[in-house]
Amino acid sequence: MTNKYLILTDACCDLSRADLEKNGILVVPMEFSLGKEVFLTAPNKDQLPISVFYDKIRKGERGGSSHITTSSYINFLRPYLEDGNDIILVTVSSALSSNFSHAFSAVNALINEYPERTIKVLDCLNIGSGMDLILTYMADNKAKGLSIMDNYLDVYDKIAFVHTWVSIKDYKNINHRALLSLPHDFLMKSFKMRPILHIDNCGNMALANSAKTAKVAMDLLFNHVKATIIEPTKQTVFITCDINTTDALALKTRLTSELKVKEVKILSSSPIICLNSGLNTLTISYLGKMRKIKRPI
């Protein structure tokens, strides 16, 4: 008989509380600051309702987020291991956060402490909506009866088919400055251009296009999806957004009417993602043509 196992992730995913409970996914909390206050992401309770969070950001309050430390991972995982659970821990892309490296260190320490347990950590090489897709797929595998190792290996391979595109309001919101030279950065800010980015084969944010208007940005996103999606009638596409639900709904309509996508889920961006990308960010993830991904380890 195989041991029971749990699926865990960090707070960079955007799945709702209902989705997390339905799929049996546990979230390792992350700290974030807003103004002079510090909060802990907690999907099981509304420490700061997302609508209130968005409103504070819209009014100009500044904030930031902290990575999960190795000791925090150990303290969070240990009770579940004590209860006899095996664990798969899925983290945000290691190219964008140190969460994976800290989780890896924590798992190595816990394996020595609990040699009878199976503990796997998976770098999803993605963010937000991409994590939501991967976690939902993994939960479906578990519901179908896949063992922890079969599930881990299946999702490890499936990551190469996950495509993620991001539309950001303007270049002022990009925190990944390595994407742009300073002259290009200044020029794009001056013209208030909207960057279109994608998660590249290394799990990093890469610039793909620039758009002058929101409509052009949505057209570009849709065309990228159209060019790379596989079997749209059989899959669920994940979209995350914050205050601008109009573009998300319009994109959903095009996906279902023109590409005949089976289902489109629109989710609210988590505070962690929003603090790093700014308001008016939209992310879309789906299964597409195989990518030649490059894993750190």
Side-chain angles (χ1 to χ4, degrees):
M1 180 181 294
T2 58
N3 290 324
K4 57 183 179 178
Y5 67 95
L6 300 173
I7 299 170
L8 278 69
T9 189
D10 60 43
C12 292
C13 82
D14 302 306
L15 290 172
S16 67
R17 182 194 307 175
D19 287 328
L20 292 169
E21 292 177 352
K22 173 185 174 183
N23 291 307
I25 298 169
L26 301 172
V27 178
V28 184
M30 293 176 67
E31 277 191 354
F32 67 92
S33 62
L34 202 55
K36 296 181 179 180
E37 296 182 89
V38 177
F39 300 91
L40 190 68
T41 59
N44 62 331
K45 62 179 180 179
D46 291 326
Q47 188 177 34
L48 181 66
I50 195 66
S51 59
V52 176
F53 170 82
Y54 291 157
D55 191 52
K56 287 178 178 290
I57 295 294
R58 181 163 31 195
K59 291 177 179 177
E61 289 199 34
R62 296 181 178 273
S65 59
S66 302
H67 302 296
I68 303 174
T69 65
T70 298
S71 59
S72 294
Y73 273 121
I74 290 174
N75 292 335
F76 192 86
L77 268 60
R78 184 179 280 123
Y80 298 107
L81 295 170
E82 288 282 357
D83 286 343
N85 296 286
D86 292 337
I87 289 174
I88 299 180
L89 174 60
V90 181
T91 75
V92 68
S93 174
S94 59
L96 300 172
S97 169
S98 62
N99 280 359
F100 172 75
S101 61
H102 294 162
F104 191 81
S105 297
V107 166
N108 282 336
L110 289 168
I111 285 174
N112 292 326
E113 190 175 342
Y114 300 92
E116 73 282 6
R117 300 268 71 84
T118 298
I119 317 170
K120 303 298 293 184
V121 59
L122 181 64
D123 177 1
C124 80
L125 294 175
N126 222 298
I127 60 167
S129 58
M131 294 183 70
D132 304 335
L133 189 159
I134 290 164
L135 287 163
T136 302
Y137 181 83
M138 181 178 282
D140 288 344
N141 274 350
K142 182 183 176 186
K144 292 174 183 176
L146 265 68
S147 68
I148 184 170
M149 284 308 301
D150 286 343
N151 200 351
Y152 172 84
L153 293 172
D154 184 42
V155 176
Y156 184 93
D157 292 336
K158 184 64 67 176
I159 287 172
F161 295 90
V162 179
H163 291 239
T164 296
W165 296 88
V166 184
S167 171
I168 297 178
K169 181 181 179 182
D170 58 51
Y171 277 78
K172 291 185 293 184
N173 288 336
I174 296 181
N175 289 334
H176 305 287
R177 294 302 176 192
L179 290 174
L180 307 167
S181 64
L182 289 177
H184 186 266
D185 190 11
F186 177 78
L187 184 63
M188 294 300 101
K189 281 184 181 179
S190 299
F191 285 103
K192 297 183 179 180
M193 299 293 285
R194 296 171 178 263
I196 307 298
L197 306 106
H198 70 104
I199 300 297
D200 67 15
N201 293 340
C202 297
N204 214 332
M205 301 281 281
L207 183 64
N209 310 102
S210 296
K212 179 61 177 173
T213 65
K215 182 182 184 306
V216 173
M218 290 303 101
D219 286 343
L220 287 169
L221 248 65
F222 179 81
N223 289 335
H224 284 306
V225 176
K226 184 178 180 180
T228 54
I229 195 169
I230 56 175
E231 299 185 312
T233 60
K234 298 180 180 180
Q235 67 165 292
T236 299
V237 172
F238 288 80
I239 296 175
T240 62
C241 63
D242 38 70
I243 61 173
N244 185 4
T245 58
T246 301
D247 286 344
L249 291 169
L251 187 56
K252 176 180 179 178
T253 298
R254 294 191 68 180
L255 291 168
T256 54
S257 63
E258 298 182 40
L259 299 184
K260 309 301 180 185
V261 168
K262 177 184 176 182
E263 181 184 10
V264 179
K265 292 202 67 163
I266 298 178
L267 301 169
S268 297
S269 296
S270 70
I272 305 301
I273 297 298
C274 188
L275 285 169
N276 285 279
S277 299
L279 287 178
N280 286 293
T281 295
L282 182 146
T283 304
I284 181 169
S285 298
Y286 56 94
L287 295 178
K289 298 174 183 177
M290 186 176 183
R291 301 182 297 131
K292 296 181 180 179
I293 60 174
K294 300 175 182 179
R295 302 178 189 271
I297 59 173

